[in-house]
């Protein structure tokens, strides 16, 4: 996933807030995933309203040094079908 790409949470996915972050449940695949930090949840929630991934990372105040880790996490979520390209 690149910072200039536009993504969003898939329409079949619901997020349930948890103290550690959130549970993501896909109603089509019945797949359950864990978003392990509140900041990652914030980024995922912002994706749909942001121009691109980089804007969502900036809005969620992800430090520059941590951006590669967040991009990797978002790539994993996308490969599992929890995120979709816009």
């Amino acid at each position: 996933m690149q910072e200039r790409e536009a993504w969003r949470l898939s329409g079949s996915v619901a997020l349930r807030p948890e103290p550690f972050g959130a549970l993501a449940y896909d109603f089509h695949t019945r797949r359950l995933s864990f978003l392990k930090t509140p900041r990652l949840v914030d980024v995922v929630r912002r994706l749909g309203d942001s121009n691109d991934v980089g804007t969502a990372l900036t809005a969620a105040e992800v430090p520059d040094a941590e951006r590669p880790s967040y991009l990797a996490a978002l790539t994993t979520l996308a490969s599992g079908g929890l995120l979709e390209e816009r």
Side-chain angles (χ1 to χ4, degrees):
M1 180 173 296
Q2 302 293 319
E3 288 197 31
R4 293 186 179 167
E5 296 174 347
W7 290 79
R8 67 177 169 220
L9 190 64
S10 295
S12 62
V13 175
L15 295 180
R16 186 176 90 186
E18 294 290 339
F20 57 82
L23 293 174
Y25 182 74
D26 188 328
F27 287 92
H28 287 171
T29 64
R30 296 184 178 183
R31 184 176 190 169
L32 182 65
S33 299
F34 296 87
L35 279 67
K36 297 180 182 179
T37 67
R39 184 172 279 158
L40 180 58
V41 176
D42 190 21
V43 171
V44 168
R45 289 185 191 272
R46 291 175 186 272
L47 286 173
D49 295 328
S50 298
N51 291 333
D52 55 32
V53 174
T55 303
L57 292 170
T58 299
E61 300 179 0
V62 175
D64 289 342
E66 295 179 20
R67 282 170 104 91
S69 298
Y70 278 81
L71 289 171
L74 293 171
T75 298
T76 300
L77 293 173
S79 67
L82 297 174
L83 301 178
E84 60 188 19
E85 235 177 323
R86 300 189 272 128

Coordinates of all heavy atoms in Angstrom, one line a residue:
M1 N 0.9 -1.2 0.0 CA 0.0 0.0 0.0 C 0.9 1.2 0.0 O 1.9 1.3 0.7 CB -0.9 0.0 1.2 CG -1.8 1.2 1.3 SD -3.0 1.0 2.7 CE -4.0 -0.4 2.1
Q2 N 0.5 2.2 -0.8 CA 1.3 3.5 -0.9 C 0.5 4.6 -0.3 O -0.8 4.6 -0.2 CB 1.5 3.8 -2.4 CG 2.2 2.7 -3.1 CD 3.7 2.6 -2.7 OE1 4.3 3.5 -2.4 NE2 4.1 1.3 -2.5
E3 N 1.2 5.6 0.2 CA 0.5 6.7 0.9 C -0.4 7.5 0.0 O -1.3 8.2 0.4 CB 1.6 7.6 1.5 CG 2.2 7.0 2.8 CD 2.9 8.0 3.6 OE1 2.5 9.2 3.7 OE2 3.9 7.6 4.3
R4 N -0.2 7.5 -1.3 CA -1.0 8.3 -2.3 C -2.2 7.5 -2.8 O -2.9 8.0 -3.6 CB -0.1 8.7 -3.4 CG 1.0 9.7 -3.0 CD 1.7 10.2 -4.2 NE 2.7 11.2 -3.7 CZ 3.7 11.6 -4.4 NH1 3.8 11.2 -5.7 NH2 4.5 12.5 -3.9
E5 N -2.4 6.3 -2.3 CA -3.6 5.5 -2.7 C -4.8 5.9 -1.8 O -4.6 6.3 -0.7 CB -3.3 4.0 -2.7 CG -2.2 3.6 -3.6 CD -1.8 2.1 -3.4 OE1 -2.2 1.5 -2.4 OE2 -1.1 1.6 -4.3
A6 N -5.9 5.7 -2.4 CA -7.2 6.0 -1.6 C -7.8 4.6 -1.3 O -8.1 3.8 -2.2 CB -8.1 6.8 -2.5
W7 N -8.1 4.4 0.0 CA -8.7 3.2 0.5 C -9.8 3.6 1.5 O -9.9 4.7 1.9 CB -7.7 2.3 1.2 CG -6.6 1.7 0.3 CD1 -5.6 2.3 -0.2 CD2 -6.6 0.4 -0.2 NE1 -4.9 1.4 -1.0 CE2 -5.5 0.2 -1.0 CE3 -7.5 -0.7 0.0 CZ2 -5.2 -1.0 -1.6 CZ3 -7.2 -1.9 -0.6 CH2 -6.0 -2.0 -1.4
R8 N -10.6 2.6 1.8 CA -11.7 2.7 2.8 C -12.0 1.4 3.4 O -11.6 0.3 2.9 CB -12.9 3.3 2.2 CG -13.6 2.4 1.2 CD -14.9 2.9 0.7 NE -15.3 2.1 -0.4 CZ -15.8 2.6 -1.5 NH1 -16.0 3.9 -1.7 NH2 -16.2 1.8 -2.5
L9 N -12.6 1.4 4.6 CA -13.1 0.2 5.2 C -14.1 -0.5 4.3 O -15.0 0.2 3.8 CB -13.7 0.5 6.6 CG -14.1 -0.6 7.5 CD1 -12.8 -1.4 7.9 CD2 -14.8 -0.1 8.7
S10 N -14.0 -1.8 4.1 CA -15.0 -2.5 3.2 C -16.4 -2.3 3.8 O -16.6 -2.3 5.0 CB -14.7 -3.9 3.1 OG -13.4 -4.1 2.4
G11 N -17.4 -2.2 2.9 CA -18.8 -2.1 3.4 C -19.3 -3.2 4.2 O -20.3 -3.1 5.0
S12 N -18.7 -4.4 4.1 CA -19.2 -5.6 4.8 C -18.5 -5.7 6.2 O -18.7 -6.7 6.8 CB -19.0 -6.8 4.0 OG -17.6 -7.0 3.7
V13 N -17.7 -4.7 6.5 CA -16.9 -4.9 7.8 C -17.4 -3.9 8.8 O -17.7 -2.7 8.5 CB -15.4 -4.6 7.5 CG1 -14.6 -4.6 8.8 CG2 -14.8 -5.6 6.5
A14 N -17.5 -4.4 10.0 CA -17.9 -3.6 11.2 C -16.8 -3.6 12.2 O -16.1 -4.6 12.4 CB -19.2 -4.1 11.8
L15 N -16.5 -2.4 12.8 CA -15.5 -2.3 13.8 C -16.2 -2.3 15.2 O -17.2 -1.5 15.4 CB -14.7 -1.1 13.6 CG -13.8 -1.0 12.4 CD1 -13.0 0.3 12.4 CD2 -12.8 -2.2 12.4
R16 N -15.7 -3.0 16.1 CA -16.2 -3.0 17.5 C -15.0 -2.5 18.4 O -14.0 -3.2 18.5 CB -16.7 -4.3 18.0 CG -17.3 -4.2 19.4 CD -17.9 -5.5 19.8 NE -16.8 -6.2 20.6 CZ -16.9 -7.5 21.0 NH1 -18.0 -8.2 20.8 NH2 -16.0 -8.0 21.7
P17 N -15.2 -1.3 19.0 CA -14.1 -0.8 19.8 C -13.8 -1.7 21.0 O -14.7 -2.3 21.6 CB -14.7 0.6 20.3 CG -15.8 0.9 19.4 CD -16.3 -0.4 18.9
E18 N -12.6 -1.8 21.3 CA -12.1 -2.6 22.4 C -11.0 -1.8 23.1 O -10.4 -0.9 22.5 CB -11.5 -3.9 22.0 CG -12.5 -4.9 21.4 CD -13.5 -5.4 22.4 OE1 -13.2 -5.4 23.6 OE2 -14.6 -5.9 22.0
P19 N -10.6 -2.1 24.4 CA -9.6 -1.3 25.1 C -8.2 -1.4 24.3 O -7.5 -0.4 24.3 CB -9.5 -2.0 26.4 CG -10.8 -2.6 26.6 CD -11.3 -3.0 25.3
F20 N -7.9 -2.5 23.6 CA -6.7 -2.6 22.9 C -6.7 -2.0 21.5 O -5.7 -1.7 20.9 CB -6.3 -4.1 22.8 CG -7.3 -4.9 22.0 CD1 -7.4 -4.9 20.7 CD2 -8.2 -5.6 22.8 CE1 -8.3 -5.7 20.0 CE2 -9.2 -6.4 22.1 CZ -9.2 -6.4 20.7
G21 N -7.9 -1.7 21.0 CA -8.0 -1.1 19.7 C -9.4 -1.4 19.1 O -10.4 -0.7 19.5
A22 N -9.6 -2.5 18.4 CA -10.9 -2.9 17.9 C -10.9 -4.3 17.3 O -9.8 -4.8 16.9 CB -11.4 -1.9 16.8
L23 N -12.1 -4.9 17.3 CA -12.3 -6.1 16.5 C -12.9 -5.7 15.2 O -13.8 -4.9 15.2 CB -13.2 -7.0 17.3 CG -12.7 -7.6 18.6 CD1 -13.9 -8.4 19.3 CD2 -11.6 -8.5 18.3
A24 N -12.5 -6.3 14.1 CA -13.1 -6.0 12.8 C -13.7 -7.3 12.3 O -13.0 -8.4 12.3 CB -12.0 -5.6 11.8
Y25 N -15.0 -7.3 12.0 CA -15.7 -8.5 11.6 C -16.2 -8.2 10.2 O -16.9 -7.3 9.9 CB -16.8 -8.8 12.5 CG -17.6 -10.0 12.2 CD1 -17.0 -11.3 12.4 CD2 -18.8 -10.0 11.6 CE1 -17.7 -12.4 12.0 CE2 -19.5 -11.1 11.2 CZ -18.9 -12.4 11.4 OH -19.6 -13.5 11.1
D26 N -15.9 -9.2 9.3 CA -16.4 -9.1 7.9 C -17.6 -10.0 7.8 O -17.5 -11.2 8.0 CB -15.3 -9.5 6.9 CG -15.7 -9.3 5.5 OD1 -16.9 -9.4 5.2 OD2 -14.8 -9.1 4.7
F27 N -18.8 -9.4 7.6 CA -20.0 -10.2 7.5 C -20.1 -11.1 6.3 O -20.9 -12.1 6.3 CB -21.2 -9.3 7.6 CG -21.4 -8.7 8.9 CD1 -20.9 -7.4 9.3 CD2 -22.2 -9.3 9.9 CE1 -21.1 -6.9 10.5 CE2 -22.4 -8.8 11.2 CZ -21.8 -7.6 11.5
H28 N -19.3 -10.9 5.2 CA -19.4 -11.7 4.1 C -18.5 -13.0 4.3 O -18.9 -14.1 4.0 CB -18.9 -11.0 2.8 CG -19.9 -10.0 2.3 ND1 -19.6 -9.1 1.3 CD2 -21.2 -9.7 2.6 CE1 -20.6 -8.4 1.1 NE2 -21.6 -8.7 1.8
T29 N -17.3 -12.8 4.8 CA -16.4 -13.9 4.9 C -16.4 -14.5 6.3 O -15.8 -15.5 6.6 CB -14.9 -13.5 4.7 OG1 -14.5 -12.5 5.7 CG2 -14.8 -12.9 3.3
R30 N -17.1 -13.8 7.3 CA -17.1 -14.2 8.7 C -15.8 -14.2 9.3 O -15.5 -14.9 10.3 CB -17.8 -15.5 8.8 CG -19.3 -15.5 8.4 CD -19.9 -16.8 8.7 NE -21.3 -16.7 8.3 CZ -22.2 -17.7 8.5 NH1 -21.8 -18.8 9.0 NH2 -23.4 -17.5 8.1
R31 N -14.9 -13.4 8.8 CA -13.5 -13.3 9.3 C -13.4 -12.3 10.4 O -14.0 -11.2 10.2 CB -12.6 -13.0 8.1 CG -11.1 -13.0 8.5 CD -10.3 -12.7 7.3 NE -8.9 -13.0 7.7 CZ -7.9 -13.0 6.9 NH1 -8.1 -12.9 5.6 NH2 -6.7 -13.2 7.3
L32 N -12.8 -12.6 11.5 CA -12.5 -11.7 12.6 C -11.1 -11.3 12.6 O -10.2 -12.2 12.6 CB -13.0 -12.4 13.9 CG -12.9 -11.6 15.2 CD1 -13.9 -10.4 15.1 CD2 -13.1 -12.4 16.4
S33 N -10.8 -10.0 12.7 CA -9.4 -9.6 12.8 C -9.3 -8.6 14.0 O -10.3 -8.0 14.4 CB -9.0 -8.8 11.5 OG -9.1 -9.7 10.4
F34 N -8.1 -8.5 14.5 CA -7.8 -7.6 15.6 C -7.0 -6.4 15.1 O -6.0 -6.5 14.4 CB -7.0 -8.3 16.6 CG -7.7 -9.4 17.3 CD1 -7.7 -10.7 16.7 CD2 -8.4 -9.2 18.4 CE1 -8.3 -11.8 17.3 CE2 -9.1 -10.3 19.0 CZ -9.1 -11.6 18.4
L35 N -7.5 -5.2 15.4 CA -6.7 -4.0 15.2 C -6.1 -3.7 16.5 O -6.8 -3.3 17.5 CB -7.6 -2.8 14.7 CG -7.9 -2.9 13.2 CD1 -8.8 -4.0 12.8 CD2 -8.6 -1.6 12.8
K36 N -4.8 -3.8 16.6 CA -4.1 -3.9 17.9 C -3.8 -2.6 18.6 O -3.3 -2.6 19.8 CB -2.8 -4.7 17.7 CG -3.1 -6.1 17.3 CD -1.8 -6.9 17.1 CE -2.1 -8.3 16.6 NZ -0.9 -9.1 16.4
T37 N -4.1 -1.4 18.0 CA -3.9 -0.2 18.7 C -5.0 0.8 18.4 O -5.5 0.8 17.3 CB -2.5 0.5 18.3 OG1 -2.6 0.9 16.9 CG2 -1.3 -0.4 18.5
P38 N -5.3 1.6 19.3 CA -6.3 2.7 19.0 C -6.0 3.6 17.9 O -6.8 4.0 17.1 CB -6.4 3.5 20.4 CG -6.0 2.5 21.4 CD -4.9 1.6 20.7
R39 N -4.7 3.9 17.7 CA -4.3 4.7 16.6 C -4.5 4.1 15.3 O -4.9 4.7 14.3 CB -2.8 5.2 16.8 CG -2.4 6.2 15.7 CD -1.0 6.7 15.9 NE -1.2 7.8 16.9 CZ -0.1 8.3 17.6 NH1 1.0 7.7 17.5 NH2 -0.3 9.3 18.4
L40 N -4.3 2.8 15.2 CA -4.6 2.1 13.9 C -6.1 2.1 13.6 O -6.5 2.3 12.5 CB -4.1 0.6 14.0 CG -4.4 -0.2 12.7 CD1 -3.7 0.4 11.5 CD2 -3.9 -1.7 12.9
V41 N -6.9 2.0 14.6 CA -8.3 2.1 14.4 C -8.7 3.5 13.9 O -9.5 3.7 13.0 CB -9.1 1.8 15.8 CG1 -10.6 2.1 15.6 CG2 -8.8 0.4 16.2
D42 N -8.0 4.5 14.5 CA -8.2 5.9 14.1 C -7.9 6.1 12.6 O -8.6 6.7 11.8 CB -7.4 6.8 14.9 CG -7.7 8.3 14.7 OD1 -8.8 8.6 14.2 OD2 -6.9 9.1 15.1
V43 N -6.7 5.5 12.2 CA -6.3 5.6 10.8 C -7.4 4.9 9.9 O -7.8 5.5 8.9 CB -4.9 5.0 10.6 CG1 -4.6 4.8 9.1 CG2 -3.9 5.7 11.3
V44 N -7.8 3.7 10.2 CA -8.8 3.0 9.4 C -10.1 3.7 9.3 O -10.6 3.8 8.2 CB -9.0 1.6 10.0 CG1 -10.2 0.9 9.4 CG2 -7.7 0.7 9.8
R45 N -10.5 4.3 10.4 CA -11.8 5.1 10.4 C -11.6 6.3 9.5 O -12.6 6.8 8.8 CB -12.2 5.5 11.8 CG -12.7 4.3 12.6 CD -13.2 4.9 13.9 NE -13.5 3.8 14.9 CZ -14.6 3.1 15.0 NH1 -15.6 3.4 14.2 NH2 -14.8 2.2 15.9
R46 N -10.4 6.9 9.4 CA -10.2 8.1 8.6 C -10.0 7.9 7.1 O -10.1 8.8 6.3 CB -9.0 8.9 9.2 CG -9.2 9.5 10.5 CD -7.9 10.1 11.1 NE -8.0 10.6 12.4 CZ -8.4 11.8 12.7 NH1 -8.8 12.7 11.8 NH2 -8.5 12.2 14.0
L47 N -9.7 6.7 6.8 CA -9.4 6.4 5.4 C -10.5 6.8 4.4 O -10.2 7.4 3.4 CB -9.1 4.9 5.2 CG -7.8 4.3 5.7 CD1 -7.8 2.8 5.6 CD2 -6.6 5.0 5.0
G48 N -11.7 6.5 4.7 CA -12.9 6.8 3.8 C -13.1 8.3 3.6 O -13.6 8.7 2.5
D49 N -12.7 9.1 4.6 CA -12.9 10.6 4.5 C -11.7 11.3 4.0 O -11.7 12.5 3.8 CB -13.4 11.1 5.8 CG -14.8 10.6 6.2 OD1 -15.6 10.3 5.3 OD2 -15.0 10.5 7.4
S50 N -10.6 10.6 3.9 CA -9.3 11.3 3.5 C -9.0 11.1 2.0 O -9.5 10.2 1.4 CB -8.1 10.6 4.3 OG -8.3 10.8 5.7
N51 N -8.3 12.0 1.5 CA -7.9 12.0 0.1 C -7.1 10.8 -0.3 O -7.2 10.2 -1.3 CB -7.2 13.2 -0.4 CG -8.1 14.5 -0.4 OD1 -9.3 14.4 -0.5 ND2 -7.5 15.6 -0.2
D52 N -6.3 10.4 0.7 CA -5.4 9.2 0.5 C -4.9 8.7 1.8 O -5.2 9.3 2.9 CB -4.2 9.6 -0.4 CG -3.4 10.8 0.0 OD1 -3.3 11.0 1.3 OD2 -2.9 11.5 -0.8
V53 N -4.1 7.6 1.8 CA -3.6 7.0 3.0 C -2.7 7.9 3.8 O -2.8 8.0 5.0 CB -2.9 5.7 2.7 CG1 -2.2 5.1 3.9 CG2 -3.8 4.7 2.0
G54 N -1.9 8.7 3.1 CA -1.0 9.6 3.8 C -1.7 10.6 4.6 O -1.3 11.0 5.7
T55 N -2.8 11.1 4.0 CA -3.6 12.1 4.7 C -4.2 11.5 6.0 O -4.3 12.2 7.0 CB -4.7 12.7 3.8 OG1 -4.1 13.2 2.6 CG2 -5.5 13.8 4.4
A56 N -4.7 10.3 5.9 CA -5.3 9.6 7.1 C -4.2 9.4 8.1 O -4.5 9.6 9.3 CB -5.9 8.3 6.7
L57 N -3.0 9.0 7.7 CA -1.9 8.9 8.7 C -1.6 10.2 9.4 O -1.4 10.2 10.6 CB -0.7 8.3 8.0 CG -0.8 6.9 7.5 CD1 0.4 6.5 6.6 CD2 -0.9 5.9 8.6
T58 N -1.5 11.2 8.6 CA -1.2 12.6 9.2 C -2.3 13.0 10.1 O -2.0 13.5 11.2 CB -1.0 13.6 8.1 OG1 0.1 13.2 7.2 CG2 -0.7 15.0 8.6
A59 N -3.6 12.8 9.7 CA -4.7 13.2 10.6 C -4.7 12.5 11.9 O -5.1 13.0 12.9 CB -6.0 13.1 9.8
A60 N -4.3 11.2 11.9 CA -4.2 10.4 13.1 C -2.9 10.6 13.9 O -2.7 9.9 14.9 CB -4.4 8.9 12.7
E61 N -2.1 11.5 13.4 CA -0.9 11.9 14.1 C 0.1 10.7 14.2 O 0.7 10.6 15.3 CB -1.2 12.6 15.4 CG -2.0 13.8 15.3 CD -2.3 14.5 16.7 OE1 -1.9 14.0 17.7 OE2 -3.0 15.5 16.6
V62 N 0.2 9.9 13.2 CA 1.2 8.8 13.2 C 2.6 9.4 12.9 O 2.8 10.1 11.9 CB 0.8 7.8 12.1 CG1 1.9 6.7 12.0 CG2 -0.5 7.2 12.3
P63 N 3.5 9.2 13.8 CA 4.9 9.8 13.6 C 5.5 9.2 12.4 O 5.3 8.0 12.0 CB 5.6 9.3 14.9 CG 4.6 9.0 15.9 CD 3.4 8.5 15.1
D64 N 6.4 10.0 11.7 CA 7.0 9.6 10.5 C 7.8 8.3 10.7 O 7.7 7.4 9.8 CB 8.0 10.7 10.0 CG 7.3 11.9 9.5 OD1 6.1 11.8 9.2 OD2 8.0 13.0 9.4
A65 N 8.4 8.1 11.8 CA 9.2 6.8 12.0 C 8.3 5.6 12.1 O 8.7 4.5 11.8 CB 10.0 7.0 13.3
E66 N 7.0 5.8 12.4 CA 6.1 4.6 12.5 C 5.2 4.4 11.3 O 4.5 3.4 11.1 CB 5.1 4.9 13.7 CG 5.9 4.9 15.0 CD 4.9 5.1 16.2 OE1 3.7 4.9 16.1 OE2 5.4 5.5 17.3
R67 N 5.3 5.3 10.3 CA 4.5 5.2 9.1 C 4.7 3.9 8.3 O 3.7 3.2 7.9 CB 4.7 6.4 8.2 CG 4.0 7.6 8.7 CD 4.4 8.9 7.9 NE 3.4 9.3 6.9 CZ 2.4 10.2 7.2 NH1 2.3 10.7 8.4 NH2 1.6 10.5 6.2
P68 N 6.0 3.4 8.2 CA 6.1 2.1 7.5 C 5.4 0.9 8.2 O 4.8 0.1 7.5 CB 7.6 1.9 7.5 CG 8.2 3.3 7.6 CD 7.3 4.0 8.4
S69 N 5.4 0.9 9.5 CA 4.7 -0.1 10.2 C 3.2 0.0 10.0 O 2.5 -1.0 9.9 CB 4.9 0.0 11.7 OG 6.3 -0.2 12.0
Y70 N 2.6 1.2 10.0 CA 1.2 1.4 9.7 C 0.9 1.0 8.3 O -0.2 0.4 8.1 CB 0.8 2.8 10.1 CG 0.5 3.0 11.5 CD1 1.6 3.2 12.4 CD2 -0.7 2.9 12.1 CE1 1.4 3.3 13.8 CE2 -1.0 3.1 13.4 CZ 0.1 3.3 14.3 OH -0.1 3.4 15.6
L71 N 1.7 1.3 7.4 CA 1.5 0.9 6.0 C 1.4 -0.6 5.8 O 0.6 -1.1 5.1 CB 2.5 1.6 5.0 CG 2.4 3.1 4.8 CD1 3.6 3.6 4.1 CD2 1.1 3.4 4.1
A72 N 2.3 -1.2 6.5 CA 2.4 -2.7 6.5 C 1.1 -3.3 7.1 O 0.5 -4.2 6.6 CB 3.6 -3.2 7.3
A73 N 0.6 -2.7 8.2 CA -0.6 -3.2 8.9 C -1.8 -3.0 8.0 O -2.6 -3.8 7.8 CB -0.8 -2.5 10.2
L74 N -1.8 -1.8 7.3 CA -2.9 -1.5 6.4 C -2.9 -2.5 5.2 O -3.9 -2.9 4.7 CB -2.9 -0.1 5.9 CG -3.2 1.0 7.0 CD1 -2.9 2.4 6.5 CD2 -4.6 0.9 7.5
T75 N -1.7 -2.8 4.7 CA -1.6 -3.7 3.6 C -2.1 -5.1 4.0 O -2.8 -5.8 3.2 CB -0.1 -3.8 3.2 OG1 0.3 -2.5 2.7 CG2 0.1 -4.9 2.1
T76 N -1.8 -5.5 5.2 CA -2.3 -6.8 5.7 C -3.9 -6.8 5.8 O -4.5 -7.7 5.4 CB -1.7 -7.1 7.1 OG1 -0.3 -7.2 7.0 CG2 -2.3 -8.4 7.7
L77 N -4.4 -5.7 6.3 CA -5.9 -5.6 6.3 C -6.5 -5.6 4.9 O -7.5 -6.2 4.7 CB -6.3 -4.3 7.1 CG -5.9 -4.2 8.6 CD1 -6.2 -2.8 9.1 CD2 -6.7 -5.3 9.3
A78 N -5.8 -4.9 4.0 CA -6.3 -4.9 2.6 C -6.3 -6.3 2.0 O -7.2 -6.7 1.3 CB -5.5 -3.9 1.8
S79 N -5.2 -7.0 2.2 CA -5.0 -8.3 1.6 C -6.1 -9.3 2.2 O -6.4 -10.3 1.6 CB -3.6 -8.9 1.8 OG -3.4 -9.1 3.2
G80 N -6.5 -9.0 3.4 CA -7.6 -9.8 4.0 C -9.0 -9.4 3.7 O -10.0 -10.0 4.1
G81 N -9.1 -8.4 2.9 CA -10.4 -7.9 2.4 C -11.1 -6.9 3.3 O -12.2 -6.5 3.0
L82 N -10.5 -6.5 4.4 CA -11.1 -5.6 5.3 C -11.1 -4.2 4.8 O -11.9 -3.4 5.2 CB -10.4 -5.7 6.7 CG -10.5 -7.0 7.4 CD1 -9.7 -7.1 8.6 CD2 -12.0 -7.4 7.7
L83 N -10.1 -3.9 3.9 CA -10.1 -2.5 3.3 C -10.3 -2.7 1.8 O -9.9 -3.8 1.3 CB -8.7 -1.9 3.6 CG -8.3 -1.6 5.0 CD1 -7.0 -1.0 5.1 CD2 -9.4 -0.8 5.7
E84 N -10.8 -1.7 1.2 CA -11.0 -1.8 -0.3 C -10.5 -0.5 -0.9 O -10.6 0.6 -0.3 CB -12.4 -2.1 -0.7 CG -13.4 -1.1 -0.2 CD -14.9 -1.5 -0.4 OE1 -15.1 -2.7 -0.6 OE2 -15.7 -0.6 -0.4
E85 N -10.0 -0.6 -2.1 CA -9.5 0.6 -2.8 C -10.7 1.4 -3.3 O -11.8 0.9 -3.6 CB -8.7 0.2 -4.0 CG -7.4 0.9 -4.0 CD -6.5 0.4 -5.2 OE1 -6.5 -0.7 -5.6 OE2 -5.8 1.3 -5.7
R86 N -10.5 2.8 -3.2 CA -11.6 3.7 -3.7 C -11.2 4.2 -5.1 O -10.1 4.3 -5.4 CB -11.8 4.9 -2.8 CG -12.2 4.6 -1.4 CD -12.6 5.8 -0.7 NE -11.4 6.5 -0.1 CZ -11.0 7.7 -0.2 NH1 -11.7 8.5 -1.0 NH2 -10.0 8.2 0.4

